[in-house]
């Protein structure tokens, strides 16, 4: 957990600096930032998903904290799909992101909107959490289907 907290603090600090210099970021840096955000989102979403599927006991406090992370981090990746990020480093981003940007952005906005519902649902009960996890997962999957390489 200590490693996670240090990594999260590092990401938060890097993201804060990057937000001020977004347009000036090299494509390589943008890819690293979005991958870091996704990694932390996935780590926390996995906790929520396990609780929603009954593979892990529902714990309101733990679920709330994980949901806060997912909700906050969900807004980060979209900012780091700038020009040239499809041509650097290892990325599963498909070229269609830049060819169909409006659709990609709409799907990312839907994912963010669903992720924003997670904290309240996580602090309500297991049934509410399951519903919010399913909706967020569906929103993520819609984007992955069209814009992420397998």
């Amino acid at each position: 957990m200590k490693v996670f907290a240090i990594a999260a603090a590092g990401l938060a600090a890097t993201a804060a600096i990057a937000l001020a210099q977004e347009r000036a970021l090299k494509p390589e840096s943008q890819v690293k930032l979005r991958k870091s955000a996704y990694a932390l989102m996935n780590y926390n979403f996995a906790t929520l998903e396990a609780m929603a599927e009954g593979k892990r006991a529902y714990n309101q406090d733990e679920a709330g904290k994980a949901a806060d992370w997912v909700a906050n981090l969900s807004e980060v990746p979209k900012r780091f799909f700038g020009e040239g990020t499809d041509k650097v480093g290892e990325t599963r981003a498909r070229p269609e992101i830049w060819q169909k940007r409006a659709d990609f952005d709409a799907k990312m906005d839907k994912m963010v909107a669903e992720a924003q519902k997670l904290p309240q649902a996580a602090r309500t009960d297991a049934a509410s959490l399951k519903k919010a996890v399913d909706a967020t997962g569906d929103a993520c999957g819609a984007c992955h289907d069209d814009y992420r390489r397998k």
Side-chain angles (χ1 to χ4, degrees):
M1 195 64 162
K2 190 175 189 179
V3 173
F4 173 70
I6 292 169
L11 175 65
T14 303
I17 293 167
L19 291 176
Q21 303 172 347
E22 245 173 68
R23 298 193 191 276
L25 282 175
K26 293 179 181 179
E28 296 86 356
S29 296
Q30 290 186 52
V31 170
K32 286 179 186 177
L33 286 168
R34 76 178 183 230
K35 288 173 80 172
S36 296
Y38 280 135
L40 287 170
M41 280 177 61
N42 290 338
Y43 174 82
N44 285 283
F45 193 75
T47 296
L48 300 173
E49 199 169 39
M51 288 182 194
E53 294 174 357
K55 295 178 181 175
R56 185 174 185 162
Y58 170 70
N59 176 300
Q60 190 177 49
D61 185 54
E62 186 180 358
K65 288 176 184 177
D68 287 341
W69 278 103
V70 174
N72 290 325
L73 288 165
S74 70
E75 298 182 38
V76 174
K78 182 179 169 184
R79 294 190 287 255
F80 300 113
F81 281 92
E83 280 190 48
T85 60
D86 57 329
K87 296 173 177 52
V88 296
E90 290 184 33
T91 177
R92 290 193 277 177
R94 293 174 61 185
E96 288 82 359
I97 290 171
W98 295 270
Q99 297 162 1
K100 300 176 183 178
R101 191 57 190 242
D103 183 60
F104 172 76
D105 286 345
K107 287 181 178 180
M108 287 289 285
D109 290 344
K110 174 73 173 166
M111 180 273 297
V112 170
E114 294 301 333
Q116 297 302 310
K117 298 173 187 175
L118 285 168
Q120 181 176 347
R123 289 179 172 91
T124 302
D125 57 36
S128 296
L129 175 63
K130 179 168 179 25
K131 183 177 177 182
V133 163
D134 289 347
T136 304
D138 289 347
C140 290
C143 201
H144 289 182
D145 290 345
D146 294 335
Y147 299 111
R148 182 181 179 198
R149 288 185 184 104
K150 304 287 181 210

